[in-house]
Structures are given as structure tokens and as C-alpha cells.
Amino acid sequence: MAIELPKTFDPSQAQKKWLAVWEQRGYFHSDPDPHRQPFSIVIPPPNVTGALHMGHALNNTLQDVLIRWRRMQGYNALWIPGTDHAGIATQSVVERLIFTHEKKTRHDLGRAELVKRIWAWKDKYEARILEQLQALGASCDWRRTRFTLDPVCARAVRETFFRMFRAGYIYRGQRLVNWDTQLQTSVADDETYTEETPGSFWTFRYPVDGQPGVFIAFSTTRPETMLGDTALCVHPADERYKHLIGQHVIQPHTGRKIPIIADGLLADPTLGTGCVKVTPAHDPNDYACWQRHPEIGIINILNPDGTINDNGGEYRGMDRYKAREAVTHKMQELGLYVGQEQRIIPLKFSDRSKTPIEPYLSDQWFVKMSDRDDGQPGLAQMTMDAVTTGRVKFFPERYARSYLDWLAEKRDWCISRQLWWGHQIPVWYKTEQQPPEVFRMVAEPTPRALQPFLRTRPGIAISWQNKPHRAADDFNVDFVVCLAPGNDDIEAALEADGFTRDPDVLDTWFSSALWPHSTLGWPGPTLPENRPDRTPADWEKLRQYYPTSTLVTSRDIITLWVARMVLMGLYNVGEIPFHHVYIHPKILDGFGETMSKTKGNGVDPLDIIEIYGTDALRYGIVKIATETQDARLPVSNICPHCGQDVPVKQEHMYMRTKKLACPACKKEFRPGGPWPTDDPERPTAKQGSDRFEEGRNFANKLWNAARFLLLNLEGYRPAPVDPAALPTEDRWLLSRLATTTQAVTAALEAYKFSDVARLIYEFVWSEFCDWYIEMSKGRLKDDTTRPVAQRVLAGAFDGILRLVHPVMPFVSESLWEALGQAAPQRGLPAPTPAEEAACIARWPSYPQQWISPPVETRFARMQHLVRGVREIRNRYQVEEKIKLDVRVKCSDAVAADFNALAAFIGPLAGIATLTAGPQITKPRQSGTLITAEFEAYVPLAGLIDPVAEAKRLEKQLADKRKALENTQNKLRNEKFVANAPAEVVQQQREFVAEIEKQIALLEENLKDLQSN
RNA sequence: GGGCGUGUAACUCAGUGGUGAGAGUGCCUCCCUUACAAGGAGGAAGUCAGGGGUUCGAAUCCCUUCACGCCCACCA
């Protein structure tokens, strides 16, 4: 009995069913297995407070395609999921929420309470994002889900910090950081954005000391920083100022005498007055200048909240912008004001608080990236070498350049953040004052509290201040102690002895950088041997799955994340973290802009899943993941009344358009966007994109192909087939199947995802469905040909399901089950019992000998003819009932090929009779000619308009003659004949012969037409 | 300013030296034929951004102009 499927594929039902089955059968679990080769990926951990967006959908779909494919290939495939605590992002979200609801700041709550609140928040949103990943079909080993703050990861972070500290790679220094005065934290460069802002450009002058009436002028956009000036600077070769170098000027607000120095790097004689004020504590360039001229000194004038500190004298306590006015006013009073002009000034803002950034001198922890004092390569160099030697490979290759260029600067990595949410820095010291600048680990002297532990514990490192130079601030620290994890008793002893722990937390990227090995349970070498959390199983996991196989990520974190993972992997494990880095494109809206909630141009993957199904989403994503291009995804508002797609226009973005009328149902709705409140008048549209229709349709096409098979597999008996003995159409199918399988496999190996989707789609739709299934219909009706046709159909479709599975797991799994009922044993050339699920089925591979160009050529000729007849039928609206007589003239060899497929031409082209042979029957009646690689004549007496047909043929003739002339000219060109590859020349000759024949036939045909 | 990338049909994109440039969507014509109207058959539609060069031959390689995007640096 035949199995009957519903007419259309229902994605939501399939998703629900298979997610549960896969999970319950544990298909995605992976454990160390010495007999299988591992293939491992660690997920780029999404921010725990984030919701799934298209970027995640893209990133994770591509990883899942790789993992499912390798799993099917028999690898021990492990995909580790997890989430990131994302320090600033998360803390500021929760802080803002608490402030909105309770009007309390973090200082009102206190550290412990705030952290507790964030954990509660995290638990909720972590569950949500993991569910969303599961909804994508992500075949992660969910048992191994990690969080960057969980105990396993925390242990790795502590270990790493400790080892780097002990080795002298981590130091405390004063540096200019981007200071967010509202959040009172430093923010990384990537957490800032620059905006062109209207501002003023002032010019002032300072009086030269001891030379009344002599002034020197300079310009600034931030007058308040004059309070922190420690020098004026000119170019050493600038004739205007040469004589003043070494003299002093008086800073009028503070009365300080400051030097005029020469620095060719800082001062540019062509800009402004050619003289520049130097404020080392509040400008990065000036800071660099101070490092070259430390004698000028450095003065910090700001408090963390952006007010002027004690160094600002009478301006103390004033907000920096108030101080700007006051300082300027004072200069005017003193007659030192020269001028002011309005300018558009690029101003840096904090991404989190949207307030202007202040360059601020602050105490921070750093990882030293430069080469070592002994000349040995440092961390940056080591990290670069991993790529230059080819141990880590980028796909596409060009992204290696971003990585190398950035690392080549060897800039030290600031790893401390003034936050409460994150890994607290495991360093203790004994003062409320800020600790010193540079530490180096030493054995002695030793704080008393540590004495009892020193002999027995390896996890203690002590540093002291060893550099005599002090910056503006005064320190009073004797010892700094860093502890490895697992030394709670020492921590307690230190704290009892008056030590306090550094309040800062580590940069999120510090823990993310450990992700490939921390998720695998890297135990670290300093943990005491007898600890229960250091087990042989940890090492076994690491040994099996590390280095991981491929990292799949986006290009904007190549430096922040990829480079640091390589660094930490090499430093901690002594081995690269991954062999391949695949950088995928970014998804943009229809106008080429990045998607964001504020713009209102985003697409919610969950909406796409709801409307089109997960498989359609995945297919669409794989299809647009090309090598070079970012993917544009035009967005539509989906009418909440009738479901019509209404394309988003740029004026709809940023909530500029408040209502839209649906062109289909005329009802009004509000376009999608981050609207703060509901609109009582009209519903808000969801946003979608019709780009996913292709995938939905493809899933349905597969579904219906299976439906056809199942209706026709009655009486199916598995048996081997002999490819050599199969009829031409079967050998064509096997040739195409083998070619496609090979090409898909190669595309996956090269991370050419778009090709994967295209290849599968073309084979399934344009070849298997459009031609093979149609051709099989006749064969299935005949009892003698039916059994073989069934075997080939079942066997080929089995292969198709395997090929489709990594991209579209749900529809393929559903059909695998259905096909399993009708044909539990199937396959080509010999049947085998089908695996119990598509997701653990073996990835296909077929014999090279199946690929047969002659068979494909033969088949292509037949397709040409069929298409030609169809075109004629269509052009002249030939009624189905009318019999057509197609006569074919060709060589005997082609005729033999042709006859092999002749039986299909009638049904496929919709004609009744067909005669094929080496001769064309004369005389011609009014008719038309199909010019494929052979000649076919379709008599159409009485059906065609001779004038129109003649016109058409004349146009064809003209085209052909032109092509002939071009090609003949080419062949007359000696250089072409001499230089072009022989096969190309041969091809051209054949083309000439062919086209000459076609022209002759067309001419003959035209004559016939005209004589009638 | 430096680096990387992009510009091909109305739209989104394939196509890195070799016959007349492709796909999906959209558009036009015909068809609800027992797998599929989320479908079938056919059709129209492109000076491959502009200019110059290399070559027997260029969408493809080189130079250049224009437009757009991203990253980095800088802007007293």
C-alpha cells in the first residue's frame, strides 16, 4: 500500500517533533573516542542578555551546517554551546532597568546586591537565547553548555591571570583610557563611536616668562584642559619659534611655569599656529609626547565623575563644561584670548551611555604584548607567527591581513574594567590608595599573612613596585599578591591581615579569549593535583577536541576576539585554538545599512521561522553566505491585517513614519520599530523578508518529490543495480548525482556555503524533479521497467536527503522517516538498511566512474529538442490534441543516442509522434526548425503565420551570421591559432561547422516559408 | 590619510582569461495534466559603473576616475 503525505510541508510540526527526538536520542552528544577523528567547534558565545538576531542566525546556521556535515561524514563531531556575560552591555542594561523601576543606582544597591540581580537576570535570558538557538536547529551538545562566568570558566580565567602575572606579562599601569563619566568606567575603543559635533575652536596665547609683551599662541577645542598643561610644543625646525625653545611660559590659571619644548612628532608647523599645548593626562598624543619628554610632568585635572579635581585650583568641583566657560572667560579677562571659530568637531561618545568620552588618566591592568626585554618574541609576535606559518588559516584568506596588521602594532592590552559584573581581578593589596605602576614577581619580601602557605602552595605570586618613577598620583603600596584559583584560605588570611581585593573586573574579551580551551575544561597546570575538579577526563577532553577545527565568526571581532584566542591558546595550552577561521559576511538591510532595532530595519529570525519555517530560514542564509559580499536583505513590514509584504522604505526607518496603509487590504498599521508604547489606534507590523520564499518553496518541492515517490513505491523490492546496464536516463541521473555530491562536498570543504545551496537546489529541482521524475512516470507504468525505476528513484532520493540534511535538517528528517517506511533498504548501486535518522546518516559519495560527460551530452541534446518543441507549441498556441510530426536529421551516431531517449521526447514535449533518423523527410511543408546540435523540423502547416515566422527566422539568421563572421575572423587570426589552447581552437572550428549547418538549414527553411 | 571590499537584468546575487553572460524573485503569455498553483511550460529583459591599457581574446588581469560599504589611524 502506498504511503500518502499531506500536500504541503508543515514546518512547525516537523520542527517540534524532530527537536525533541534528536535531543532525546542524544544524537548531538559527543564524548572522547580514540577510534574516531574529532571535529569540534566552539560557539561564539552570544551576549546573555541579547535576543536572537539575524547575525546569530547566520553565524549559527553556518556552524550547524558544518557540524551536521562532519557528523554525517563519521567524525566525532562536537559543538559546544554557551553564552557570554558581556560585562558592560549586561551591567548597563540591568542598571538602567533597576533605575527605571526603582530609581536606584548601583551605589544604592551595593556590589553584592547588584551582582545578585544581574545573575537572576542572566538566568532568565540565558535560557531564552539558548532556546532560540535550539529553534534554529543548532545541533550542539547541550550537556556541555558553558557560561563565561561559570566555575569552569572562572577557574581558567584565574589560572591564566595568575600565570601571566607571575611571568611578568600582566602589569598595572597608568594609561589614558576612554573614560565614561556617567558610568564611571573606562570603555574600550570599540565601545565608542565618533560623531561630527558642532563645537568651538579657540585660539589663546600664553605669556613668555621673563619677556614682557612676548606671547605664544596655540589653539584648542577643549580650553578646560589648559589647567593640566605641562608644556607648549613646537616643531624643532619651525623658524617662527626656534628661538623660544627651552624658554618658559606662564599658565595663567594656575600660575605654573611650563616649558616650551620641541617635538617633531607632536607639532605640525603647517597646522594652526604651529604651536600646540601639551596636556599629557587628557590627550593621547600629548600623553605620548610626555613619554618622550617625561621631565615636563603630567597633571590629572579630572575626577572620575567629570568634575575638576584639586589640581584645578579655583575651578575645583566644577563640571568640565562649566570649567570650559570659566577658563575661557578668564583668558578673555587677561587679554590672552585671540579668537574663536565654530567648527564641526569629531567627538568620541560612549556607546553605552551616549555621553562624550574624556581621555582620562587612570590605573589599569595591562597585558604586555611587545617583545620581551631579552629580545625574545612577545605575546603579539607569537600570535602573529601562528598565522604567518600557516598553522591558523583564514577563509577567505585576505582577513589574515587585518589580524596581522593589528597585532603588528603590539599595543598593550588593557584588561581591567571598572565594573562589578565580571571576573574580579585576583589581586590583593594592602591600601586604599591606588597601587603602583609596574610589578614584577619576586620571592621576597613576603607579607606575614602568606608565610604559612609559601612552602606548600604554588599558586601565590607577589610583586612590588620596582620602578622609581611616579606619575602625578601618590601611591602607598608595599605588596601586591596574586592568587591562583583554589586558594580560598589564603584569600581569607590576606583579607584578615588587612589586604583588599582589587575592585576591578577583567575585560570580557579576557574570558572570551580562553573560550576554546576553558569550555573544554582546561584545568590549568597550577591546580593542586589532588583537587577533585582536576580530573584525567578533563585532560582527555582537551586532548581529543583541542585544537578545535573551525572558528566561524564575523570580521569585526578578528582583532578583539580571534587574535586573543590564538594568543591565550598558545600561552595556556601551547597550541593554537583552531585550525581554520571562517569569516562570514554581514547581513545588511535593503539599503546596505547594518540592521538595528533603533533603525527599525531589522528582521527577527523567529518571525521568519514562524512564517517560512526554520529550513527556509537556514536555506536563505546559506544561500546568501557568499565569499566576498555582505548580504543585503530587503525588509518588509508584514501587514498585521492581511499578511501582505510591504517593503520598508528609508523614510519608514527611525520611527519617522507613524502609519502606513496596506496596499492590499487598505487598512492602516504602524511600521515595525522600537516603539516605546503600544499604538491604541493601529497594530504594529512585524518585519520579514520575502527572500526566504525560495527556501520555503524548495522545502515544499522536496516534500512533494517524496510524495511522488511514496505514491509510486508500491511493490518496491530492494536489489542492486548495475550502473553500466542502466538506460541512458538513469546513467544521466547517476552522473549528475555523483557530480553534485562531489561539488557539494568540495564547496563545504572550502566554506563556499552559497555554492552548497545553489548546487543542491539546481540538482534537486532542475534535474531530478523537472526531468528525471517526469521521465520516470512512463517507466513506472510498465511492469518490466518499474522495479529498476523504483530502485533508482529511491536510491537517488536517499542521496538527496543526505545532501540536503545539513542545510535543511527538518524537512529531510521528516522525509527520511517517510521514505524509511516505503523503502527501508535502499541505495545505489546496492541497497543497505537506512540509518535510523538522517542526522546520523552517512554523508554520500559515489564512484567517480559514474560521472559520464558523453551521457550528459546525449541527454543535453534531448533536452534541447524538447525545449525547442515546447517553445514552438507555446509560441503558436498549439492545441494539445493536434499531432505533431518531428523529424530529426543527424549523424547515425547521434541518431543512436537520440533513439535511446526518443521515447521520452513525446511525453516531455507534449507531442504525439516522433520519427528520428538520419534523414529529413521531404518535401517540407510550412513548418519550423529547431536548431540544437542536430536539426529537427516541426511541420506546422496551417498553424503558423508565415510572415511572422519569416521575420523571426530572419532575425535568427542575422544573429547566426554575425556569430559565424566573428568566429571565422578569430580563426583567420594567426595569433589566435598559435596562442590559444588547441582545444579552444578546435571548439571554435566545430562551432563554425555547426553554425554553418544551422545557417544553411535556416535559409532553406526560410525559402520554404516564402514559397508557400 | 592607510587597508580591505563592492559596483553584472527591475530587485538580491553567482560568474577570476576562451563559443552568443547566469540563477532566484518580480514582470508577460499559456496551463489547476493524479508529486507539487509554495506548481508546470515558454517569453521579454543586461553598452557586466565610466575611461584607458595588457592580450589572439577581458565582466574576469593592470592603471585610472566616479559611487558605495567596512576596518584602522588622525584631526592642537
Side-chain angles (χ1 to χ4, degrees):
Chain A
M1 25 102 238
I3 300 158
E4 186 147 0
L5 295 173
K7 260 190 148 178
T8 52
F9 171 53
D10 175 2
S12 65
Q13 215 182 328
Q15 286 152 208
K16 210 170 135 196
K17 171 173 178 179
W18 293 112
L19 282 177
V21 170
W22 291 333
E23 185 56 29
Q24 176 232 322
R25 296 192 193 162
Y27 287 149
F28 308 144
H29 294 177
S30 172
D31 291 295
D33 176 353
H35 306 293
R36 286 194 300 159
Q37 218 182 325
F39 181 86
S40 52
I41 293 182
V42 291
I43 200 170
N47 176 352
V48 72
T49 66
L52 191 74
H53 56 64
M54 282 311 286
H56 293 126
L58 173 75
N59 179 260
N60 290 293
T61 296
L62 299 184
Q63 290 176 79
D64 194 50
V65 169
L66 291 175
I67 279 283
R68 284 183 186 267
W69 163 57
R70 291 297 193 183
R71 185 181 294 121
M72 290 173 79
Q73 279 191 326
Y75 286 85
N76 183 10
L78 170 65
W79 185 12
I80 299 187
T83 51
D84 193 292
H85 68 279
I88 294 180
T90 307
Q91 180 170 327
S92 60
V93 164
V94 178
E95 274 191 67
R96 209 175 307 142
L97 198 80
I98 291 171
F99 191 79
T100 312
H101 288 107
E102 306 171 31
K103 295 279 171 279
K104 284 182 178 166
T105 67
R106 67 166 185 238
H107 302 290
D108 298 330
L109 294 177
R111 183 165 189 146
E113 177 62 18
L114 182 78
V115 169
K116 201 176 112 192
R117 299 275 196 105
I118 303 176
W119 270 104
W121 168 275
K122 169 258 169 190
D123 288 340
K124 185 172 156 197
Y125 283 86
E126 177 186 49
R128 187 183 67 164
I129 190 117
L130 292 176
E131 267 169 38
Q132 291 177 337
L133 285 176
Q134 282 166 335
L136 273 181
S139 61
C140 302
D141 186 345
W142 299 102
R143 298 173 307 166
R144 302 195 187 278
T145 304
R146 292 259 73 90
F147 174 55
T148 50
L149 279 184
D150 70 21
V152 173
C153 293
R155 187 182 68 186
V157 166
R158 286 283 299 263
E159 274 287 332
T160 308
F161 189 98
F162 175 78
R163 295 182 63 237
M164 287 190 145
F165 181 94
R166 191 178 54 183
Y169 282 114
I170 285 179
Y171 66 91
R172 179 116 163 140
Q174 277 207 317
R175 285 298 166 91
L176 275 187
V177 294
N178 299 309
W179 189 260
D180 182 326
T181 56
Q182 180 163 331
L183 298 173
Q184 300 200 19
T185 179
S186 67
V187 292
D189 284 338
D190 58 288
E191 291 156 345
T192 67
Y193 61 97
T194 304
E195 222 166 64
E196 301 287 325
T197 314
S200 296
F201 182 81
W202 285 274
T203 303
F204 300 109
R205 55 186 190 169
Y206 281 167
V208 177
D209 183 38
Q211 300 183 42
V214 181
F215 298 93
I216 183 163
F218 56 88
S219 300
T220 180
T221 56
R222 293 186 299 152
E224 72 279 11
T225 61
M226 286 193 282
L227 300 172
D229 282 356
T230 58
L232 288 184
C233 175
V234 299
H235 195 273
D238 193 334
E239 293 300 333
R240 291 171 294 179
Y241 303 112
K242 233 172 170 173
H243 62 288
L244 293 172
I245 296 168
Q247 309 265 339
H248 288 78
V249 293
I250 303 296
Q251 207 296 319
H253 305 88
T254 58
R256 281 197 314 271
K257 212 162 97 174
I258 61 176
I260 300 168
I261 60 168
D263 187 324
L265 290 176
L266 184 65
D268 180 343
T270 65
L271 285 178
T273 65
C275 171
V276 49
K277 67 197 237 5
V278 186
T279 322
H282 299 284
D283 182 280
N285 294 315
D286 297 359
Y287 184 81
C289 176
W290 166 70
Q291 288 184 309
R292 295 188 292 269
H293 305 271
E295 68 282 359
I296 65 174
I298 180 166
I299 299 171
N300 175 17
I301 59 158
L302 285 183
N303 289 316
D305 62 358
T307 58
I308 304 294
N309 70 12
D310 292 350
N311 291 328
E314 59 180 290
Y315 303 93
R316 167 193 325 132
M318 241 183 235
D319 178 80
R320 64 194 189 284
Y321 292 116
K322 283 273 182 307
R324 176 174 299 176
E325 288 169 25
V327 164
T328 306
H329 189 70
K330 177 80 175 246
M331 291 299 270
Q332 281 170 335
E333 281 178 3
L334 295 171
L336 299 171
Y337 167 88
V338 177
Q340 174 187 5
E341 54 180 285
Q342 297 306 308
R343 276 200 189 177
I344 300 297
I345 297 160
L347 196 59
K348 249 191 196 178
F349 287 84
S350 164
D351 207 23
R352 300 296 167 199
S353 69
K354 316 293 176 197
T355 58
I357 288 292
E358 289 298 325
Y360 181 70
L361 197 62
S362 164
D363 299 300
Q364 304 292 335
W365 291 94
F366 290 87
V367 173
K368 186 174 181 314
M369 299 292 283
S370 54
D371 292 336
R372 290 160 32 152
D373 295 339
D374 59 11
Q376 290 299 305
L379 294 176
Q381 190 60 49
M382 170 183 85
T383 309
M384 291 167 74
D385 291 346
V387 167
T388 49
T389 58
R391 285 197 291 156
V392 175
K393 283 204 181 69
F394 277 87
F395 294 81
E397 215 174 341
R398 68 188 132 91
Y399 287 113
R401 183 183 269 273
S402 329
Y403 172 101
L404 292 171
D405 285 355
W406 184 77
L407 279 170
E409 293 179 27
K410 301 185 180 179
R411 285 199 296 191
D412 288 353
W413 171 17
C414 177
I415 51 170
S416 44
R417 292 294 128 97
Q418 290 64 48
L419 292 172
W420 291 348
W421 176 241
H423 294 280
Q424 193 174 352
I425 288 172
V427 164
W428 285 258
Y429 40 79
K430 211 173 182 174
T431 173
E432 293 304 309
Q433 295 287 333
Q434 290 159 309
E437 189 175 334
V438 174
F439 302 111
R440 183 176 297 158
M441 188 264 166
V442 291
E444 297 289 340
T446 308
R448 215 171 319 133
L450 291 175
Q451 295 284 7
F453 304 103
L454 278 177
R455 290 282 152 75
T456 52
R457 297 288 182 84
I460 305 169
I462 308 155
S463 294
W464 79 43
Q465 177 210 342
N466 75 331
K467 250 195 168 177
H469 178 75
R470 287 287 179 90
D473 301 279
D474 201 16
F475 300 123
N476 180 21
V477 172
D478 292 317
F479 302 101
V480 168
V481 180
C482 179
L483 294 176
N487 292 301
D488 299 359
D489 48 351
I490 309 182
E491 292 176 19
L494 279 173
E495 280 164 21
D497 194 34
F499 280 72
T500 52
R501 186 169 183 177
D502 192 298
D504 287 1
V505 300
L506 287 165
D507 179 12
T508 302
W509 297 111
F510 191 93
S511 50
S512 315
L514 311 181
W515 194 240
H517 57 277
S518 66
T519 51
L520 285 167
W522 175 69
T526 56
L527 213 60
E529 288 290 348
N530 56 357
R531 296 274 304 195
D533 47 0
R534 181 182 185 176
T535 64
D538 285 334
W539 288 111
E540 182 55 22
K541 257 194 320 199
L542 199 66
R543 208 175 56 76
Q544 274 272 321
Y545 298 112
Y546 191 96
T548 63
S549 308
T550 301
L551 176 77
V552 177
T553 190
S554 145
R555 75 172 101 84
D556 40 11
I557 49 176
I558 289 174
T559 54
L560 296 173
W561 193 43
V562 179
R564 279 148 184 184
M565 279 193 285
V566 176
L567 187 158
M568 289 298 200
L570 290 169
Y571 186 77
N572 276 346
V573 191
E575 181 54 275
I576 54 167
F578 28 71
H579 296 290
H580 290 176
V581 180
Y582 168 67
I583 304 291
H584 57 64
K586 293 179 82 164
I587 294 190
L588 310 173
D589 72 3
F591 311 103
E593 295 189 35
T594 50
M595 290 183 169
S596 77
K597 215 174 172 183
T598 11
K599 287 182 194 168
N601 62 347
V603 178
D604 186 341
L606 297 176
D607 287 351
I608 300 297
I609 287 175
E610 194 186 312
I611 300 166
Y612 300 104
T614 307
D615 285 336
L617 171 70
R618 293 171 59 112
Y619 176 86
I621 280 170
V622 170
K623 185 71 189 285
I624 60 178
T626 62
E627 266 205 294
T628 49
Q629 297 248 109
D630 282 343
R632 283 193 186 201
L633 200 63
V635 177
S636 294
N637 284 302
I638 296 163
C639 171
H641 309 289
C642 70
Q644 171 85 11
D645 273 12
V646 185
V648 169
K649 296 182 180 158
Q650 268 178 311
E651 61 260 32
H652 302 159
M653 283 156 60
Y654 293 104
M655 303 184 287
R656 278 187 293 243
T657 302
K658 296 202 168 44
K659 62 175 181 186
L660 272 176
C662 171
C665 68
K666 311 296 177 201
K667 290 183 191 157
E668 285 185 345
F669 61 86
R670 184 167 66 168
W675 303 96
T677 50
D678 285 339
D679 185 336
E681 305 282 319
R682 51 191 79 81
T684 304
K686 283 187 172 181
Q687 289 172 314
S689 176
D690 58 14
R691 299 290 138 177
F692 297 101
E693 283 179 11
E694 187 179 337
R696 177 197 59 183
N697 295 354
F698 185 42
N700 198 48
K701 189 71 176 178
L702 283 161
W703 182 264
N704 276 289
R707 196 161 169 262
F708 171 82
L709 254 72
L710 296 172
L711 290 170
N712 286 287
L713 280 180
E714 204 169 335
Y716 168 83
R717 284 194 328 277
V721 294
D722 175 9
L726 288 172
T728 305
E729 66 275 16
D730 286 343
R731 281 192 284 151
W732 170 79
L733 183 71
L734 297 192
S735 179
R736 296 304 309 143
L737 177 62
T739 305
T740 304
T741 303
Q742 221 172 61
V744 168
T745 308
L748 284 166
E749 279 164 359
Y751 303 100
K752 294 187 173 176
F753 289 97
S754 181
D755 288 355
V756 172
R758 191 176 44 78
L759 286 162
I760 293 173
Y761 183 93
E762 278 172 6
F763 174 66
V764 171
W765 201 306
S766 312
E767 299 185 314
F768 184 74
C769 291
D770 285 356
W771 292 94
Y772 191 79
I773 284 191
E774 291 308 321
M775 292 168 88
S776 76
K777 285 177 179 171
R779 297 171 67 199
L780 287 166
K781 288 187 187 124
D782 181 338
D783 285 341
T784 58
T785 51
R786 183 176 164 91
V788 172
Q790 286 179 326
R791 282 166 206 150
V792 176
L793 273 171
F797 199 68
D798 171 88
I800 285 171
L801 291 178
R802 292 171 200 258
L803 289 175
V804 164
H805 182 79
V807 179
M808 306 176 95
F810 295 102
V811 69
S812 55
E813 197 68 271
S814 301
L815 296 177
W816 185 269
E817 183 186 47
L819 187 63
Q821 287 169 27
Q825 295 198 27
R826 56 183 188 255
L828 294 168
T832 53
E835 294 91 337
E836 63 175 9
C839 76
I840 52 159
R842 189 85 188 178
W843 184 252
S845 99
Y846 299 101
Q848 181 72 30
Q849 306 90 281
W850 285 12
I851 298 174
S852 166
V855 167
E856 296 196 12
T857 307
R858 199 173 299 170
F859 199 86
R861 280 195 200 110
M862 185 275 295
Q863 288 175 311
H864 262 121
L865 178 60
V866 168
R867 290 198 174 110
V869 176
R870 282 172 178 169
E871 187 188 332
I872 290 159
R873 286 174 47 86
N874 223 290
R875 180 173 311 113
Y876 298 110
Q877 303 287 305
V878 178
E879 294 284 332
E880 197 193 341
K881 303 280 188 287
I882 291 173
K883 292 190 176 180
L884 296 180
D885 183 20
V886 177
R887 292 144 204 261
V888 175
K889 180 184 173 188
C890 52
S891 71
D892 289 350
V894 171
D897 285 353
F898 182 83
N899 284 326
L901 291 163
F904 297 110
I905 295 172
L908 287 173
I911 56 178
T913 63
L914 178 89
T915 52
Q919 296 300 321
I920 248 182
T921 321
K922 289 272 185 178
R924 288 229 165 91
Q925 304 149 332
S926 183
T928 195
L929 189 76
I930 298 161
T931 52
E933 288 172 51
F934 43 75
E935 308 111 37
Y937 187 78
V938 183
L940 291 163
L943 287 169
I944 61 172
D945 170 4
V947 179
E949 182 64 10
K951 211 168 153 187
R952 195 177 69 87
L953 291 182
E954 271 162 12
K955 186 174 179 285
Q956 271 187 21
L957 254 177
D959 289 351
K960 302 271 179 199
R961 283 180 179 140
K962 192 162 184 192
L964 177 67
E965 197 190 323
N966 288 345
T967 317
Q968 279 174 335
N969 282 343
K970 196 184 279 187
L971 283 166
R972 268 187 227 113
N973 185 329
E974 285 169 26
K975 286 185 181 169
F976 170 69
V977 179
N979 296 337
E983 57 189 54
V984 172
V985 177
Q986 182 58 27
Q987 235 174 30
Q988 297 288 301
R989 294 215 168 96
E990 281 165 15
F991 181 62
V992 168
E994 180 65 33
I995 211 163
E996 277 174 342
K997 268 199 287 182
Q998 291 182 11
I999 287 172
L1001 274 154
L1002 277 167
E1003 282 169 342
E1004 208 180 323
N1005 203 39
L1006 194 57
K1007 228 164 76 187
D1008 283 356
L1009 260 176
Q1010 284 159 346
S1011 65
N1012 280 345

